[in-house]
Amino acid sequence: MNIYVLLKQIPVISDIKIDHKTFTIDRSNTANMANPSDLNALEAALTLKGVSGGTVTVLTMGNESCEAQLLEAAAVGADRFIRISDEAFAGADTLVTAKILAAAIRHLGDADAVFCGQFSLDSATGQIGGKLASLLNFGLLHSACQIDMTDDGLSIRKKSGSVYEVWQSPLPVVCSFEEGCNKLRPVTLKGKRAAKQAVIQVLTNNELNLSDEDLVSPSKVEAIFPIQPKETGFRIQGKDEAESARNLADILFGKILA
């Protein structure tokens, strides 16, 4: 089985600052990390590779700093490493991002499945999996917490309230994974050596041939504002403890009788 895994670089959450002029994350002075649920998607792909053979190809979008996440994937056993980067892709919304990823997967070819995290912690839209499945005309499984192979495809378990649902899809399929749904394998000395020898292929729009119309983002952020916390209580006033107690009793009886 040939599985593609989408691995996004995100800022360390505690470092995130918003540029209120552009309504985007200011990435100039932030440390970076791999999106956690994408790592769970990678682990699922590596596990299936161990069962059925095949290859695991990891894709990321961004500048050279994103190669650190690709090398992390190399250290745990992934096979191919693709960084997608072009000035024409800057500012892409989720639809344009999905178009870019779909074009890259078509260009590389032979995808039986595409795995990704349920959502990224920096934007939390959760839209890429569904849009990518639609653009590629693949089946869609989402929010998997467990995955198994079937005779003609994949089967997942997903949480639904207090129970689990079982969903199946034939190949090819896009599948998203919950954060923490599996245990990530440790990096070994052999893996570290493999990462040093990893070859990263860079794809630009010269290879993907997306038109100017394809790269127009139809959505944009109009404003960003903090959530106003709800008041959770108030102080009972009184000149002494006895008066405070009477005031509290008046409030409680008033609520009971209202």
Side-chain angles (χ1 to χ4, degrees):
M1 180 182 293
N2 296 319
I3 305 173
Y4 286 71
V5 178
L6 311 183
L7 184 58
K8 184 180 181 181
Q9 182 191 80
I10 64 171
V12 173
I13 299 304
S14 60
D15 291 348
I16 286 182
K17 294 181 180 178
I18 301 297
D19 183 332
H20 288 276
K21 292 182 179 179
T22 61
F23 301 125
T24 58
I25 294 173
D26 180 0
R27 301 175 186 268
S28 58
N29 293 304
T30 61
N32 296 309
M33 58 184 278
N35 184 54
S37 58
D38 292 351
L39 293 176
N40 293 117
L42 174 60
E43 177 60 35
L46 294 170
T47 299
L48 288 183
K49 172 191 167 185
V51 173
S52 66
T55 60
V56 173
T57 300
V58 183
L59 294 86
T60 192
M61 284 181 61
N63 59 28
E64 291 182 358
S65 69
C66 296
E67 294 185 1
Q69 279 65 53
L70 294 178
L71 295 180
E72 287 181 33
V76 292
D79 302 291
R80 291 199 299 169
F81 315 97
I82 313 297
R83 180 169 67 87
I84 305 166
S85 182
D86 197 294
E87 290 185 2
F89 302 157
D93 69 356
T94 55
L95 178 59
V96 171
T97 296
K99 288 180 179 179
I100 295 166
L101 292 169
I105 291 167
R106 291 193 197 99
H107 175 79
L108 296 165
D110 296 325
D112 294 310
V114 181
F115 288 0
C116 60
Q118 185 179 14
F119 57 81
S120 62
L121 292 184
D122 59 342
S123 57
T125 65
Q127 297 177 5
I128 293 297
K131 290 179 177 179
L132 191 58
S134 178
L135 290 166
L136 292 171
N137 197 28
F138 283 13
L140 175 64
L141 298 169
H142 64 91
S143 306
C145 58
Q146 180 180 320
I147 189 164
D148 296 292
M149 296 184 63
T150 63
D151 291 339
D152 63 346
L154 296 176
S155 171
I156 68 165
R157 293 178 71 190
K158 61 176 290 187
K159 293 178 182 177
S160 179
S162 60
V163 300
Y164 288 93
E165 296 177 348
V166 176
W167 291 76
Q168 296 182 349
S169 174
L171 302 178
V173 63
V174 175
C175 183
S176 69
F177 291 82
E178 280 193 355
E179 181 181 347
C181 65
N182 50 33
K183 184 178 180 180
L184 305 182
R185 63 193 62 198
V187 176
T188 63
L189 180 59
K190 180 180 178 181
K192 291 180 180 179
R193 289 173 178 167
K196 290 181 179 179
Q197 298 176 354
V199 176
I200 297 173
Q201 180 181 355
V202 179
L203 294 180
T204 69
N205 206 33
N206 290 332
E207 291 78 32
L208 303 187
N209 296 311
L210 290 161
S211 67
D212 291 342
E213 184 179 355
D214 288 329
L215 297 176
V216 175
S217 295
S219 61
K220 63 180 181 179
V221 178
E222 293 285 352
I224 294 177
F225 49 87
I227 297 174
Q228 296 299 323
K230 294 182 178 180
E231 293 186 7
T232 57
F234 57 91
R235 182 182 293 275
I236 305 296
Q237 301 292 341
K239 63 183 181 181
D240 54 30
E241 292 182 357
E243 184 175 347
S244 296
R246 285 194 297 271
N247 291 339
L248 174 59
D250 290 341
I251 293 169
L252 296 176
F253 280 118
K255 289 184 177 294
I256 294 171
L257 297 175

